[in-house]
Amino acid sequence: MNDKIWVEKTGKTLRLRWNYEGKKQALSLGVADHPVGRAFAAKKMAEISMDLISGHYDPTLLKYKPRKLGANPTEISAVELFQRYLTYYKQARSLTHGSEVKLTGIASKLQGFVGNIPANKVTDAVAKNVVSQWLESASNRTVKEYLYHLKGCWGWAKDKYHVVDPNPWDDSLSRSRSRDNNRVPKQPKPFTIAEFQAIVSAFVNHPQYSHYTDFVLFLANSACRPGEAAGLRWKHLGVDRSTAWIGESISRRNQKGTKTGKARTIQLNPVLKQLLIARYERLKPQQDDLVFPSPKGVAIDDHNFCNRAWKTILTSCQIEYRTPYNLRHSAISHALAQGANPIALAEQTGHDKRVLLSTYAHAIDRQVLFVSINDRNSDD
């Protein structure tokens, strides 16, 4: 018996026992009590003793466990590792159907790129190769989102399974962020005032889609995201209908928070104030009712609205197709062109200030902003 670590027989196999910080530790070796098994035990004892002395001891014991497959594996494939992470992630969080599909898709893509490679064989070089293949069929923004989950998966697996340390997805994620920082923001093409007026008129007069007129007017006059407007309830509006609390969103009829995860209160212009007052008097809704439900009284499905009503109206107006989300871009662009304060506008629209300034710089009214200062003292 070692004075710090000793080996003992348990059933037909050997295990090690020792104390660490006053707590009993045990490690089953899975080898029989014979000369080869005893030699293996001695080697493992020496490894643990050295780590205890040098300060590199792993209290999770994963470092000392054999790499094994089977019912309780410590070494599994990269794909299986992500699938186990997905199971954990789904239990820890309330996922929408879309998020679950997206995460399942990552596992499928990973299978195609790395096959059955063990998770501990996924090095930085392997991660780079995966990313380069991914970028052939997906945008950098999408790949970056995938990398967040892969990095999270490998971080979660540390001390549970044998994986590479440091995290092999770190550098790839850093490079993806760098590509984003160097990307020239795509300039949105807003609807002109004339185009917007034609769209509203077409909705008003359409026998099937006139129901959505107020919804479209709200989007264009508030710069809300379509999901935010679809999730708006009467209890979220101020008593005089001049403000709206934006803290919930509905996409594919699934309720969630705003895109940024932050709630905000916006000031509504006189057009929307009167629209909401008239709408309330006409509908006599309950406080928890949706302000803009579908014709069937349920939440508007953004996918159906876009593919049916929106496309039909734009085609009838002979207007170049842009998504309903473009009403948000249009509202922001026209507000900046009229001299709105960009910082205040970012607060009202729930936009990142830097992104708003870089994306909509072309729309900001260019005028002389600096005060004229005489460079000479008038007394000279």
Side-chain angles (χ1 to χ4, degrees), residues 158-289:
K158 188 177 179 181
D159 299 336
K160 298 182 182 70
Y161 301 95
H162 288 294
V163 294
V164 173
D165 188 35
N167 196 311
W169 303 101
D170 268 340
D171 285 347
S172 292
L173 182 56
S174 296
R175 284 189 290 273
S176 181
R177 288 170 176 155
S178 178
R179 284 192 294 270
D180 257 3
N181 291 336
N182 295 328
R183 179 175 58 89
V184 176
K186 183 180 179 180
Q187 303 292 349
K189 183 179 180 181
F191 292 107
T192 65
I193 298 298
E195 285 177 326
F196 175 68
Q197 290 174 341
I199 291 170
V200 172
S201 178
F203 267 106
V204 169
N205 295 304
H206 197 279
Q208 185 177 356
Y209 299 128
S210 60
H211 173 87
Y212 294 107
T213 303
D214 287 355
F215 178 65
V216 172
L217 279 165
F218 188 87
L219 292 176
N221 281 276
S222 68
C224 279
R225 301 175 178 90
E228 294 172 344
L232 189 66
R233 300 180 186 276
W234 288 101
K235 65 182 180 182
H236 297 152
L237 300 175
V239 176
D240 64 351
R241 312 306 182 203
S242 63
T243 61
W245 177 84
I246 307 297
E248 295 178 1
S249 178
I250 292 180
S251 179
R252 305 294 192 274
R253 294 183 181 166
N254 292 312
Q255 186 169 319
K256 55 183 181 178
T258 62
K259 182 179 180 180
T260 61
K262 298 179 180 178
R264 65 188 189 278
T265 298
I266 62 174
Q267 299 293 322
L268 304 179
N269 64 26
V271 170
L272 289 186
K273 180 177 178 178
Q274 293 304 314
L275 180 153
L276 291 168
I277 289 173
R279 189 173 179 83
Y280 184 82
E281 291 176 350
R282 183 173 73 254
L283 300 176
K284 300 293 189 297
Q286 299 296 313
Q287 285 298 294
D288 204 46
D289 288 348

Side-chain angles (χ1 to χ4, degrees), residues 26 49 61-62 76 90 104 112 148 153 184 199 201 290 368 380:
S49 295
L61 306 185
L62 178 64
I76 58 180
K90 286 161 62 176
T104 303
Y148 273 117
C153 172
V184 176
I199 291 170
S201 178
L290 293 168
V368 176
D380 289 349

Side-chain angles (χ1 to χ4, degrees), residues 15-33:
R15 71 179 175 190
L16 299 182
R17 298 293 296 268
W18 69 98
N19 294 317
Y20 176 69
E21 295 184 347
K23 297 180 180 179
K24 294 180 179 180
Q25 306 279 288
L27 177 66
S28 296
L29 299 176
V31 294
D33 184 11

